[in-house]
Amino acid sequence: MANDMLLNLVAEHGPWVLLVFYLLYRDLQKDQATRAVLDKNSSILIEITTIIRERLPAAGGRGG
């Protein structure tokens, strides 16, 4: 059913339909790549934060 609709759109409107679907597909791929990079950066920042917190002295015994 989806193939018939796609073929009808291409037959009626020409290659513009294919171009639009291709551009939407490429945009989706770009969004997925961006999300993957942001997820990786977030995990790296979490690791760095954890290491810094482990190495800082505890603040509970000072001041007061």
Side-chain angles (χ1 to χ4, degrees):
M1 179 181 259
N3 289 337
D4 292 337
M5 186 178 82
L6 183 60
L7 290 176
N8 287 337
L9 284 173
V10 171
E12 188 174 333
H13 299 288
W16 295 107
V17 174
L18 293 176
L19 179 63
V20 168
F21 280 111
Y22 175 73
L23 291 175
L24 288 172
Y25 174 71
R26 292 296 293 165
D27 191 49
L28 176 66
Q29 285 183 327
K30 186 172 68 171
D31 286 346
Q32 289 173 340
T34 302
R35 288 180 191 272
V37 169
L38 289 174
D39 287 343
K40 180 72 173 173
N41 286 346
S42 295
S43 65
I44 290 171
L45 287 174
I46 289 170
E47 289 179 22
I48 290 172
T49 304
T50 303
I51 291 171
I52 290 172
R53 284 184 181 165
E54 288 173 352
R55 293 185 181 190
L56 286 177
R62 295 188 193 186

